[in-house]
Amino acid sequence: MSIQKPKGTQDLLPGEVEKWQYLENKARDLCQRFNYKEIRTPIFESTELFSRGVGETTDIVEKEMYTFMDKGDRSISLRPEGTAGVVRAYVENKLYGVPDVTKLYYVGPMFRYEQPQAGRYRQFHQFGIEAFGSVDPSMDAEVIALGYTFYKEIGLKDVTVEINSVGTPSVRTVYREKLQEFFAPVKDKLCKDCQSRYDRNPMRILDCKIDQKYGEGAPEILDYLDEECSTHFAQVKEHLSAMEIPYRVNPRLVRGLDYYTHTAFEYKAAGIGAIDTIGGGGRYNGLVEQIGGHGTDQPGVGLGLGLERILLVLQAQGVEIPKPEPLDVYLIGLGAAAEKEVTKLLQQLRIQGLKAEKDYQGRKMKAQMKSADRLQAKYVAILGDDELARGEITLKQMETGSQVTVSLVDLGSNAAKTLFE
RNA sequence: GCGGUCGUGGCGAAGUGGUUAACGCACUGGUCUGUGGCUCCAGCACUCGCGGGUUCAAGUCCCGUCGAUCGCCCCA
């Protein structure tokens, strides 16, 4: 084996890539209906964007980024998630100056240096949206609804939506102390990961699989929300209900990125081994100002969905993805003169919008027929010297096996009519 | 970063230290001198991820390494 692809990456070959195109087309169509516009930002950004945006102490920034110095001594990182770059572009292009909300979407690769496993790659792909300029709870609900609708429309079954409110930074400070108080007596009994979480992020102890028993009866953040937070959360839920989006409140839901405020949510589905999260997001009211500085302050809410994970769950659920259209015509030319005529005809058919192919390996007729069969061609058009002399071509309908001869000129000038009538 | 399992032709998959590396699919050709999907026949790996070691002898044992996979952490 000579050179292999880097660990945790994939080659998407024909046969597989059609599934990706299908998902991407669905995403684009959906975004158009929800009035989200596409944005394409760089795959690499200043490292500082992510440390400032995603959060210095998150796992993503601490140990999962692909960071390197470029030739100009700038610290660069491959984007580990989509929001930071979109926020940067929003600020840099002064989109906060427009009167309406700004609704954006993106589809593209993200990079995290992690140990690969089922549904986890070092280069993976996300479809995400971001909505700036609204604190309205209906905005949160719309974002959640868009993700849910996407799953529905591609045929995913049994997707659950979990939501929570993580409040504001000041709410979290208070709650964090309460949690530490609660866990203090059993701190020594917690697993070693949780002992470090105790100081860094005690909320994470709550969803630890090992220490569940110590988490029983722990204070819940929803009980510590202030007036504004709980009102917002209640209204988000009302809007979700109005849209008939089923959801489950999970007061222990915590996300791995520091920028979330108020609403946080995840989509879950079984089928990828140990992993069940197929997408997530939330509101991030302080993030734009944090990245853009004074005068840029705008609220935001967004989501990111993992395409690899969606594909895995689709496969696990046996959901069929529509296959691309088969070949309309396979052209066979026998003899030098006929082959030249076939080249001409092929171009004419393709220009008319038909999906047409021929042999390029000088193979015998039988081999070409097999090839046409493999390509699932609807018709095979056979041109030999005798047909050529008469200005005709033999058309064989592969499914029925029936043949007719038609005029070369007719096929070349109006193929669709000649073939399908 | 840590642990389990695995790594044989384009794909799937036998091979439990010893002669020419099964088999299935796919592919190519013939059976059918201008016609596919069926049948039958023939062909198709100086070589078993890579490197080193043990042995008279290794795809088979040992070590290392790379990768895949599953899991821990965390997440998409």
Side-chain angles (χ1 to χ4, degrees), chain A residues 107-145:
Chain A
V107 182
M110 308 293 163
F111 306 84
R112 292 186 201 169
Y113 191 88
E114 290 188 274
Q115 218 48 253
Q117 70 178 68
R120 186 156 78 206
Y121 301 90
R122 290 185 172 183
Q123 174 173 341
F124 61 101
H125 298 78
Q126 280 190 339
F127 158 43
I129 66 171
E130 315 290 347
F132 300 98
S134 168
V135 292
D136 197 294
S138 67
M139 192 80 256
D140 307 49
E142 173 177 295
V143 169
I144 294 170

Side-chain angles (χ1 to χ4, degrees), chain A residues 1-5:
Chain A
M1 193 56 74
S2 45
I3 299 176
Q4 298 174 293
K5 63 184 180 298

Side-chain angles (χ1 to χ4, degrees), chain A residues 54-68:
Chain A
V54 177
E56 201 78 66
T57 61
T58 57
D59 278 8
I60 293 178
V61 169
E62 262 182 359
K63 53 183 199 190
E64 296 172 2
M65 282 213 294
Y66 275 91
T67 298
F68 58 93

